[in-house]
Amino acid sequence: MIWLVASIAACITYWYVFQPDIILVFSAVWIVIIALLLWFGNRQLTIRLDRIMPWSRYGNWRFFIQMVLGIAYLLFLINLIYYIIKTSLTTTPPVWEQMIVVNFWGAVIFIPVFSLYFSLHFLRHWRTSELEAEKNQKESMRSQLDSLKNHLDPHFLFNNLNILASLIEKDKTTSRTFIQKFAEVYRSLLRTKSDDLILLSEELDFVDAYMYLIRVRFEDHIRIIITIQSATKNKMVPPLTLQMLLENVIKHNLITETQPLQIEILESEGNYLVVRNNLHIKADYHSAEGSGLENIKKRYAHFTDQPVTIVKTETHFEVSIPLLEIENA
C-alpha cells in the first residue's frame, strides 16, 4: 500500500514539474489505478477464499482457483480502466487494435507483478499451514503420550491400601517399610510424570519399590531376577514401561504356593531388554494383547522404529523392549 501512495505522489510531482505529454499522463494514470485496484481486489479475493477454501483443506484446488480468478480479474481491470479513461479523456472510443495493444502491454507489465504477489502469498500461506499442521501433530502426540504415561492400574492403589491396613495391626515394622516403599512408588510417578524418557537405572529403582509391595501381597510365591550390567543402566526407556510389563504378568498368571511365578529381567542382543516369566495362565485369560502391551507399543512408536517383540511358548512368555539412547548434539 505504501508503494502505491508513493507512486501516486511521484506522478503528481512529475506532472507539475515537467508538464508531460497527455499520452504519458494517460499511461501513468492507467497503471496506477490498475495497480491500486489489483492490490485491493486480490486482497478481498484472498480474504473470501480463506473462509470458503482454506489452504489447509483445499491446497491444490485453492492454488488453481485463486490463480485463475486473479488473472481473470487482472485482464478485466486492464480493459475496463482503459475503456473508462479513453472515453472520459478523449472523444474517440477505443478500437480493437488499441485494445489488443493495451492487453499486450498490460500483460507484460502486470502479469509478472501479479505472479510475484501470488507466489509470495502462496508460499506464506503454505508455510503457515505447514507450521499449523506440525503444531497440531505435536500437540496430538503430546496428548497421546500424556494419556499413555498416566497408566497405572487403579486396583493397585486399593489393593495396597488394604494390605497396609492389615499390616498395621499385625506387623508394625513391616508396615513402616511398606509405607516407605509405597511412598517411593508414588514419588517416582510424580517425578517422571513430565518426562518422555528416563534412565533405566531410575526405572529399576521404581521396580524395586513396586515389587516389594507385590511380594508383600503374594509373600514368597513371586520371585524376580534382574541381570543387567551397569553400563546398560544408562540407557533410556519410557517411564513405567517395566511396571506395566510386570503388572501384565501378575494380572494374567495364577500365583499360588504350588505355582510360584518367576520373572526375569535381562539384557538381550541388539540393544534390547527382555522381561520373561513362566506361564501359569488364569482360566479367564483371553489371548488378545492387553491394554498394557498395546500402551507400550504406542509409546515406543513415538521414539523409535525398533519394534517391541512378544514371544509366547507353552512354558514362557517374554517381551523385548528397545533400550534407547539420546544422541548428544
Side-chain angles (χ1 to χ4, degrees):
M1 186 63 182
I2 295 176
W3 67 271
L4 288 174
V5 175
S7 299
I8 295 172
C11 289
I12 294 173
T13 302
Y14 183 79
W15 167 263
Y16 279 105
V17 174
F18 297 101
Q19 295 295 315
D21 186 80
I22 189 63
I23 299 299
L24 292 177
V25 175
F26 177 85
S27 301
V29 172
W30 177 68
I31 291 174
V32 169
I33 292 176
I34 290 178
L36 182 61
L37 292 177
L38 183 65
W39 172 83
F40 178 79
N42 276 283
R43 185 169 182 273
Q44 295 303 313
L45 177 63
T46 297
I47 292 173
R48 281 157 177 75
L49 286 179
D50 282 342
R51 297 172 184 169
I52 302 171
M53 300 181 66
W55 286 99
S56 58
R57 293 183 58 189
Y58 304 97
N60 294 333
W61 280 104
R62 171 67 183 274
F63 177 87
F64 289 108
I65 288 175
Q66 183 158 357
M67 183 176 66
V68 170
L69 290 177
I71 293 176
Y73 176 67
L74 170 61
L75 295 175
F76 172 76
L77 283 180
I78 290 173
N79 290 276
L80 177 64
I81 302 304
Y82 176 77
Y83 180 84
I84 292 174
I85 293 177
K86 178 72 173 174
T87 55
S88 300
L89 300 181
T90 66
T91 58
T92 58
V95 296
W96 281 107
E97 291 80 2
Q98 292 175 332
M99 297 300 293
I100 292 173
V101 172
V102 166
N103 278 273
F104 172 78
W105 285 110
V108 169
I109 295 171
F110 289 109
I111 285 183
V113 174
F114 170 76
S115 299
L116 178 61
Y117 164 82
F118 182 72
S119 298
L120 293 175
H121 171 78
F122 170 74
L123 288 174
R124 183 173 68 254
H125 278 265
W126 175 79
R127 181 57 180 163
T128 301
S129 298
E130 287 290 307
L131 291 174
E132 288 179 356
E134 184 178 351
K135 179 182 177 182
N136 291 336
Q137 183 179 14
K138 288 182 177 180
E139 289 178 352
S140 176
M141 290 176 62
R142 170 59 57 188
S143 177
Q144 291 179 34
L145 282 174
D146 289 343
S147 175
L148 294 171
K149 285 191 297 184
N150 289 332
H151 176 93
L152 189 63
D153 192 338
H155 295 293
F156 173 77
L157 173 63
F158 297 112
N159 288 335
N160 283 287
L161 288 176
N162 289 332
I163 293 171
L164 178 60
S166 61
L167 280 175
I168 289 175
E169 296 181 359
K170 294 188 297 184
D171 190 336
K172 292 184 179 181
T173 302
T174 304
S175 65
R176 281 196 294 268
T177 306
F178 188 92
I179 291 173
Q180 292 173 356
K181 295 295 184 180
F182 195 58
E184 285 182 31
V185 167
Y186 279 89
R187 192 181 302 117
S188 296
L189 288 174
L190 294 174
R191 187 175 63 248
T192 61
K193 185 177 181 180
S194 59
D195 296 332
D196 294 332
L197 296 171
I198 63 172
L199 290 171
L200 178 59
S201 59
E202 296 180 80
E203 182 76 353
L204 291 173
D205 289 340
F206 175 82
V207 166
D208 179 69
Y210 177 81
M211 288 308 297
Y212 176 86
L213 304 181
I214 297 299
R215 282 192 293 268
V216 170
R217 177 182 171 190
F218 292 100
E219 298 179 345
D220 296 329
H221 309 323
I222 184 169
R223 295 189 291 272
I224 183 168
I225 302 172
I226 300 176
T227 310
I228 299 175
Q229 298 180 4
S230 298
T232 306
K233 295 180 181 181
N234 293 323
K235 303 291 178 65
M236 312 290 286
V237 294
L240 298 182
T241 299
L242 292 180
Q243 181 273 328
M244 282 188 282
L245 290 175
L246 295 173
E247 179 187 292
N248 191 67
V249 171
I250 295 166
K251 181 187 298 183
H252 296 299
N253 285 276
L254 189 64
I255 306 173
T256 64
E257 184 175 354
T258 57
Q259 294 179 316
L261 184 64
Q262 180 167 299
I263 304 173
E264 297 177 85
I265 301 177
L266 63 153
E267 301 174 62
S268 178
E269 295 181 358
N271 214 23
Y272 270 80
L273 191 70
V274 177
V275 178
R276 178 191 299 145
N277 65 276
N278 57 333
L279 281 177
H280 299 297
I281 297 297
K282 292 180 178 179
D284 58 352
Y285 171 77
H286 54 89
S287 58
E289 291 181 11
S291 60
L293 293 177
E294 189 63 28
N295 185 313
I296 292 170
K297 287 184 175 182
K298 289 180 179 178
R299 294 175 71 185
Y300 266 100
H302 289 288
F303 303 111
T304 181
D305 293 330
Q306 292 178 279
V308 174
T309 61
I310 300 171
V311 177
K312 181 183 177 183
T313 67
E314 293 183 358
T315 58
H316 286 81
F317 185 86
E318 70 175 41
V319 179
S320 299
I321 58 173
L323 292 172
L324 306 176
E325 295 184 78
I326 297 181
E327 296 182 0
N328 294 322

